[in-house]
Amino acid sequence: MRIGVPKEIKTHEYRVGLTPSSIRELVHRGHAVTVETQAGLGSGFTDADYRAAGAEIAGESRSVFQDAEMVVKVKEPQPGEWAMLREGQVLFTYLHLAADAEQARGLMASGATAIAYETVTDRFGRLPLLAPMSEVAGRMAVQAGAHCLEKAQGGQGVLLGGVAGVPSAHVVVLGGGVVGSSALRMAIGLEARVTVIDRSLPRLTELDDRWGPRLNTLFATMDGIESAVLDADLVIGAVLVPGAAAPKLVTREMVSRMKRGAVVVDVAIDQGGCFETSHPTTHAEPTYMVDDVVHYCVTNMPGAVARTSTIALNNATLPFVLALADKGWKQALADDPQLRNGLNVHAGRITHEAVAQDLGYGYSPAADVLT
């Protein structure tokens, strides 16, 4: 198979779809890989590194898209990239379509087969291609939130861990999954006072057993969320419904009553965000204010630590890329129901139920597409 790796063009996105190490594996199996020039530079990989791994270097993205049977990216394709996709071509990347109707229309119009990292599952129902970036984003959320709490950034001028004789900040984490558990780990390590809220009692029990008195666990009710958010200095939105839009757990009215200079970091923004006051931001302009509350809603947080993120992501995606390349997409999806869960769009049809429901489109089951 001929595989293409274009340079990411989303604002301040420095990750790359395949590392030289991954390309070496593909070339060893007889596949051809074309990489756009300087595609890996933001992650510390030069064109010379890719050539040494066996890749061809293309001077522009159009050449990459034109020649590739499968395009491997990191972030969702931008409008200029939709036009370069074609019928019969496979796109393997993060999509987050439930919160992006325009992109969904673009992919449907292209006729391409789009497989989303974020809806591929494992046999336990977990999301193995989302997990590494969720871990990075969860850790970064505390780092970004601590910075936003500084007075010069619009925050109330609070140090997360406090100092002797001064109380530590209260960090509230909405969701105890991969993002949430990574965030609370960082916050506890910085000696903040931490509350995690989740609707799963077994998950809360796991977290309570692990962290003991260093963590306050709270079952998710509107009353519980409201009381915790109003007391918080930093709120991290870490909720996820696979493939679907994030639920709005924090209302605009709640935000209006939060502490002046408090901070919200909405890691769920890729799926529409879990605060009613959230809208997507970029690394170039990461924050904005609503009712004197700082909002950090960057849609590609892990892109800021591109080398760590790219390597971690490739560790997870490479087995699936190899399967798609070795077998072809139809056989690979037929053989692996977990990878089949990643199919979101094929030949103008939405093939993931949660995405179809949120966008109001008809749903064509992936199993039907394969037959």
Side-chain angles (χ1 to χ4, degrees):
M1 179 180 284
R2 179 166 287 278
I3 300 158
V5 182
K7 184 177 181 179
E8 297 292 328
I9 60 174
K10 189 164 185 172
T11 304
H12 287 274
E13 179 53 71
Y14 303 106
R15 289 172 290 180
V16 62
L18 292 173
T19 64
S21 177
S22 295
I23 287 173
R24 186 178 178 186
E25 293 291 325
L26 286 158
V27 171
H28 176 70
R29 295 183 183 222
H31 305 294
V33 185
T34 302
V35 179
E36 185 179 353
T37 184
Q38 299 188 342
L41 209 56
S43 296
F45 304 117
T46 66
D47 287 354
D49 294 329
Y50 283 110
R51 285 194 184 96
E56 300 174 15
I57 303 299
E60 59 179 6
S61 60
R62 184 168 297 279
S63 298
V64 175
F65 279 86
Q66 189 172 39
D67 295 340
E69 297 170 79
M70 176 167 67
V71 175
V72 180
K73 283 175 42 64
V74 178
K75 288 305 291 179
E76 70 279 359
Q78 302 302 294
E81 294 173 315
W82 305 339
M84 292 188 284
L85 291 167
R86 64 178 185 275
E87 187 175 351
Q89 192 173 47
V90 176
L91 173 67
F92 194 33
T93 188
Y94 287 117
L95 294 176
H96 299 291
L97 290 179
D100 194 345
E102 186 180 6
Q103 184 201 168
R105 287 193 294 271
L107 291 178
M108 292 168 71
S110 75
T113 297
I115 303 171
Y117 292 162
E118 74 274 6
T119 60
V120 173
T121 60
D122 64 16
R123 61 192 180 92
F124 301 107
R126 296 173 303 202
L127 306 172
L129 306 190
L130 192 61
M133 295 304 93
S134 294
E135 186 175 358
V136 171
R139 296 185 181 208
M140 285 188 67
V142 176
Q143 186 173 295
H147 179 59
C148 290
L149 276 170
E150 296 172 13
K151 195 66 179 177
Q153 307 305 316
Q156 53 187 319
V158 170
L159 184 66
L160 275 191
V163 293
V166 181
S168 57
H170 184 197
V171 177
V172 173
V173 181
L174 302 174
V178 178
V179 172
S181 58
S182 298
L184 65 88
R185 176 180 179 178
M186 289 289 286
I188 289 171
L190 291 171
E191 299 185 2
R193 179 166 56 97
V194 183
T195 299
V196 62
I197 302 177
D198 201 283
R199 64 181 182 180
S200 169
L201 282 177
R203 183 57 180 158
L204 291 176
T205 300
E206 290 175 12
L207 294 171
D208 185 68
D209 288 343
R210 178 174 182 181
W211 296 106
R214 289 180 289 177
L215 176 67
N216 180 41
T217 59
L218 190 63
F219 184 73
T221 64
M222 288 305 297
D223 281 344
I225 292 170
E226 182 178 56
S227 61
V229 165
L230 296 185
D231 185 63
D233 301 293
L234 168 61
V235 184
I236 296 172
V239 297
L240 174 68
V241 180
K248 304 295 184 186
L249 298 183
V250 179
T251 66
R252 181 175 294 274
E253 191 272 336
M254 288 183 202
V255 170
S256 72
R257 293 193 286 132
M258 289 178 67
K259 296 177 182 177
R260 182 175 182 176
V263 174
V264 301
V265 177
D266 197 345
V267 186
I269 192 64
D270 275 325
Q271 296 292 102
C274 60
F275 299 80
E276 280 191 346
T277 47
S278 291
H279 65 72
T281 63
T282 68
H283 287 292
E285 296 183 27
T287 63
Y288 59 92
M289 303 289 289
V290 176
D291 294 324
D292 294 319
V293 174
V294 183
H295 286 59
Y296 181 102
C297 304
V298 175
T299 56
N300 59 329
M301 289 176 64
V305 287
R307 188 170 180 88
T308 297
S309 296
T310 292
I311 295 171
L313 180 60
N314 267 237
N315 289 342
T317 58
L318 181 58
F320 296 100
V321 173
L322 291 171
L324 289 165
D326 289 347
K327 300 177 179 180
W329 74 270
K330 273 196 173 184
Q331 191 61 52
L333 267 60
D335 291 348
D336 186 349
Q338 279 73 50
L339 179 57
R340 189 161 66 240
N341 289 334
L343 187 63
N344 277 212
V345 179
H346 172 70
R349 292 176 287 171
I350 299 292
T351 55
H352 190 283
E353 187 172 11
V355 172
Q357 182 174 347
D358 280 344
L359 295 180
Y361 285 110
Y363 165 54
S364 300
D368 292 351
V369 167
L370 295 178
T371 56

